[in-house]
Amino acid sequence: MSGDMAQQNDSKRLFLGIDLGTSHTAVMTSRGKQILLKSVVGYPKDVIGLKLLGRPYVVGDQAFDMRSYLELRYPLQDGVLSEISDRDLEVARHLLSHIVSLVEAAPDDVMYAVIGVPARASGGNKTLLLRMAQEVVNTALVVSEPFMVAYSLGKLVNSIVVDIGAGTTDICALKGTVPGPEDQVTLVKAGNYIDERLHNALIERHPELQMNINVACEVKERFSFVGKAPAAPAIADLRAGGKPVRCDVTEPVRIACESLLPDIVESIEALLRTFQPEYQPEVLKNIIIAGGGSRIGGIADYIKERLRPYGDAVVTCVDDPTFAGCRGALRLAEELPPQYWGQLGTVVGG
Ligand SMILES: Nc1ncnc2c1ncn2[C@@H]1O[C@H](COP(=O)(O)OP(=O)(O)OP(=O)(O)O)[C@@H](O)[C@H]1O
Ligand SMILES: [Mg+2]
């Protein structure tokens, strides 16, 4: 169906905001549906798995829950589509088509999707993603994730957004235009990196502990903080030799979480310097932290303190890190007529 026909019948237009992340994908639709699922596809390891599963593959949290007899594939690695083989592309296609199957579109709906991807996703990579999106929606636009967060907050001028995800931390300077490559920095240290650091630190301190990366991640998500230690020490219930043990994890958690921050602060400083001097004080007052990593306790104060030599900074964490990006994508899809999407990035369909 063409764009013109869609405009004649608004009820047939379905707008989607999609935040395609390494660990989670979040979706909001113009009919008020919200979806959150793990960005993972599981395939049976053998014929027994196939029999247990009863279908060729399964997507999202369900796949993760059945991981003992499935081979899990994460289509986005370090925030970009893995494109080593046709197989990898097929995984991404399975994830995307599953997402679209969940939005409850009517057969005659015309679907317009704005898809947020990490700032680093290269031109070629975006084109691949768009080609796949075109198989499942009518019109699609790919834009950078931190730009979507800024859009959802209405902070498109003189601000800096720091999106701390699982695979990457994306930092973006907003100057009232669509951010170009020179306005964005992607660091490959993010939540997964903290998990690794914490895992290694805990094993080193307590060699008897039964530790793996999932346990380290749980400990992080429960106790994460930077800077001043909380009043009560962080005591985790862990296991050693099959038996429960209690362990003070305060210091290892702090050190692992703080390991991200020097690079983040340095990148904020570098982007700050790219603004005209008269705007810099305002930019300092508009520093926004998003993504799952914005849940780290004390992170806004810590960054504010580190920026002290530049002036009095105001650093805020978004209220809803899970949906802030896709809310911005949906808002953009709804507010800006699709015929203008070509000015914002690469578009397919129309
Ligand atoms: N309370 C918490 N403290 C610290 N980290 C947390 C907390 N809650 C979630 N996280 C971490 O946030 C990360 C996930 O964030 P998010 O959902 O924004 O990532 P993503 O969008 O899937 O990844 P990316 O943006 O890299 O593609 C994970 O590493 C997760 O462990
Ligand atoms: Mg993300």
Side-chain angles (χ1 to χ4, degrees):
M1 190 186 287
S2 80
D4 287 351
M5 278 175 76
Q7 264 157 27
Q8 287 161 16
N9 190 348
D10 261 5
S11 65
K12 295 279 175 249
R13 301 175 116 197
L14 181 61
F15 292 103
L16 311 177
I18 302 175
D19 175 354
L20 210 50
T22 314
S23 70
H24 286 95
T25 294
V27 185
M28 287 177 97
T29 79
S30 50
R31 294 191 194 131
K33 200 166 166 58
Q34 294 195 4
I35 300 159
L36 179 68
L37 76 163
K38 282 197 195 308
S39 307
V40 65
V41 188
Y43 299 88
K45 285 181 184 160
D46 57 23
V47 285
I48 301 298
L50 186 60
K51 173 141 182 61
L52 283 170
L53 196 62
R55 57 206 138 133
Y57 63 89
V58 56
V59 184
D61 301 60
Q62 241 188 325
F64 191 76
D65 295 341
M66 300 187 228
R67 63 187 176 278
S68 57
Y69 61 93
L70 296 180
E71 184 200 348
L72 293 188
R73 315 267 302 202
Y74 290 81
L76 293 143
Q77 260 154 28
D78 292 340
V80 294
L81 274 185
S82 319
E83 50 180 299
I84 315 103
S85 67
D86 287 349
R87 177 76 198 282
D88 291 314
L89 293 180
E90 177 144 286
V91 178
R93 186 175 280 123
H94 287 156
L95 174 66
L96 261 184
S97 59
H98 179 73
I99 290 166
V100 172
S101 75
L102 296 176
V103 303
E104 294 172 0
D108 55 349
D109 274 338
V110 185
M111 285 194 269
Y112 299 87
V114 172
I115 306 174
V117 296
R120 196 167 80 109
S122 66
N125 218 269
K126 278 185 197 163
T127 312
L128 269 177
L129 189 63
L130 278 168
R131 280 220 318 263
M132 271 174 238
Q134 199 181 12
E135 295 170 13
V136 286
V137 300
N138 299 76
T139 303
L141 163 70
V142 169
V143 276
S144 95
E145 225 170 78
F147 179 65
M148 290 299 86
V149 172
Y151 198 95
S152 79
L153 301 173
K155 296 260 185 199
L156 290 166
V157 193
N158 294 337
S159 63
I160 292 178
V161 172
V162 182
D163 179 341
I164 309 173
T168 60
T169 298
D170 289 289
I171 307 171
C172 179
L174 283 307
K175 299 176 176 171
T177 58
V178 181
E182 67 287 0
D183 301 318
Q184 318 197 52
V185 179
T186 295
L187 308 170
V188 288
K189 283 185 196 167
N192 294 346
Y193 177 78
I194 302 182
D195 299 347
E196 278 163 38
R197 290 281 299 240
L198 183 59
H199 173 252
N200 295 341
L202 289 174
I203 292 277
E204 206 169 290
R205 277 183 174 229
H206 309 283
E208 72 286 2
L209 280 182
Q210 288 187 288
M211 240 317 122
N212 63 34
I213 212 78
N214 297 332
V215 174
C217 181
E218 279 173 23
V219 170
K220 172 196 72 177
E221 292 187 0
R222 166 107 199 266
F223 297 107
S224 67
F225 77 98
V226 291
K228 196 171 163 294
I235 306 289
D237 291 313
L238 300 169
R239 300 192 85 84
K243 297 191 189 114
V245 288
R246 310 201 78 204
C247 204
D248 184 339
V249 295
T250 317
E251 266 314 280
V253 165
R254 186 180 63 76
I255 293 169
C257 292
E258 286 184 1
S259 68
L260 291 190
L261 287 159
D263 289 359
I264 291 178
V265 171
E266 201 178 294
S267 306
I268 294 174
E269 291 166 354
L271 287 175
L272 178 66
R273 288 192 289 269
T274 69
F275 285 86
Q276 296 299 326
E278 66 271 37
Y279 299 141
Q280 291 178 4
E282 190 188 333
V283 177
L284 263 182
K285 299 234 176 308
N286 279 305
I287 298 188
I288 297 139
I289 318 289
S294 66
R295 295 198 164 99
I296 296 173
I299 191 165
D301 283 344
Y302 188 99
I303 293 175
K304 177 187 161 76
E305 278 315 308
R306 290 298 176 283
L307 293 171
R308 181 73 65 200
Y310 293 81
D312 203 9
V314 178
V315 183
T316 22
C317 295
V318 296
D319 289 339
D320 180 4
T322 308
F323 286 103
C326 74
R327 180 173 292 116
L330 175 64
R331 190 168 292 171
L332 187 143
E334 290 182 314
E335 290 180 358
L336 220 65
Q339 61 263 38
Y340 296 113
W341 288 8
Q343 296 179 21
L344 298 173
T346 334
V347 178
V348 291

